Amino acid sequence: MKKNVIISTEFITLGQLLKEENVVSSGGQAKWYLKENTVMVNSEPDDRRGRKLYDGDNVEVPNSGMFFIRKK
């Protein structure tokens, strides 16, 4: 599934994205999830929940789909 994620701030963190898209329910779960699953940010693996995602970034989450970050 491909989905646009519209942000109104300069960036969103990877952990916030996972929470907003209901992949996880808390920051602690996001940390665990990223250690156990390979999440791709702009076609490169990343396991930092604090990773800043900006307009134009693409995130692929296993079993959840691909998310395109777009600024409002």
Side-chain angles (χ1 to χ4, degrees):
M1 178 176 95
K2 296 180 180 180
K3 181 177 180 188
N4 285 326
V5 177
I6 308 300
I7 60 173
S8 58
T9 57
E10 184 181 349
F11 64 86
I12 185 173
T13 65
L14 184 53
Q16 288 172 326
L17 173 70
L18 294 176
K19 286 193 296 186
E20 283 190 20
E21 296 303 322
N22 297 314
V23 176
V24 299
S25 60
S26 71
Q29 284 184 339
K31 184 176 182 177
W32 172 84
Y33 183 88
L34 291 168
K35 294 295 181 196
E36 298 292 322
N37 297 279
T38 303
V39 173
M40 306 293 281
V41 177
N42 298 326
S43 300
E44 295 184 8
D46 202 324
D47 64 357
R48 300 172 292 160
R49 68 179 172 167
R51 165 74 187 258
K52 293 178 181 176
L53 304 171
Y54 296 93
D55 182 39
D57 284 344
N58 299 314
V59 181
E60 187 174 350
V61 180
N63 301 315
S64 294
M66 181 165 273
F67 302 96
F68 302 102
I69 310 302
R70 301 294 178 249
K71 188 157 180 166
K72 190 175 187 180

